[in-house]
Amino acid sequence: MNPEELLNEGNERNKPAADSPLISLERDLKYFNESIKEVSEEIMNEGLSSYPIFIAHQHELSIGELILDRHDLNSEWSIHASTLEEFVERDVIKPVLKERFIKSYKDPYEYMCVFVVVPEGANFVYFPYVK
């Protein structure tokens, strides 16, 4: 699937933009902003990791710890909390790419690092915390 298809751009016959998974993800991340930031700071303050990662998904996953369940919260996305260390341990991030990931990692006090899982694949995005 092309990025344009995910965003429903370029073809008026597509579903309305509100149906795009990325639009609903942005809405949920804004709504859960404070909770995600609290968990991120807790992970860092407790010395668990300097690199918190949040996993956004719409199905069952076995990585990280569930912190926001879409079924309980009447939202479209569930969020798991994890760390760079778990991603390396589980081989989601190859050990040889760990340093490259760290260099590209944005300020965790300003941005949430979100690993977005959709049927077409998965990717990292950085979403700014709402002030």
Side-chain angles (χ1 to χ4, degrees):
M1 177 175 269
N2 295 323
E4 295 81 19
E5 292 174 294
L6 282 174
L7 295 171
N8 290 321
E9 292 177 351
N11 187 344
E12 305 229 349
R13 292 179 298 179
N14 284 340
K15 294 179 185 177
D19 290 340
S20 167
L22 298 179
I23 300 297
S24 66
L25 175 59
E26 180 179 12
R27 183 176 53 242
D28 283 359
L29 291 176
K30 284 180 180 176
Y31 183 73
F32 297 138
N33 180 71
E34 287 184 39
S35 298
I36 292 172
K37 188 167 187 172
E38 276 182 31
V39 172
S40 178
E41 289 175 356
E42 191 175 303
I43 288 170
M44 292 183 293
N45 291 340
E46 291 184 6
L48 299 174
S49 179
S50 297
Y51 307 97
I53 298 173
F54 297 91
I55 305 134
H57 60 92
Q58 295 178 315
H59 52 280
E60 298 303 314
L61 287 182
S62 62
I63 186 168
E65 182 179 323
L66 180 65
I67 60 168
L68 299 163
D69 187 339
R70 68 187 179 103
H71 301 293
D72 294 343
L73 299 168
N74 196 28
S75 63
E76 294 191 44
W77 294 83
S78 291
I79 307 292
H80 281 222
S82 184
T83 63
L84 168 60
E85 292 77 6
E86 182 179 11
F87 269 57
V88 171
E89 181 181 304
R90 298 271 196 114
D91 212 30
V92 176
I93 295 175
K94 303 287 183 203
V96 296
L97 298 176
K98 180 179 175 182
E99 287 305 314
R100 189 163 96 187
F101 179 85
I102 289 171
K103 286 180 184 175
S104 69
Y105 193 86
K106 292 191 177 195
D107 181 351
Y109 293 98
E110 298 293 323
Y111 294 89
M112 59 182 88
C113 175
V114 184
F115 189 65
V116 182
V117 180
V118 293
E120 294 80 12
N123 209 345
F124 288 98
V125 297
Y126 290 90
F127 191 80
Y129 288 113
V130 180
K131 305 275 186 214

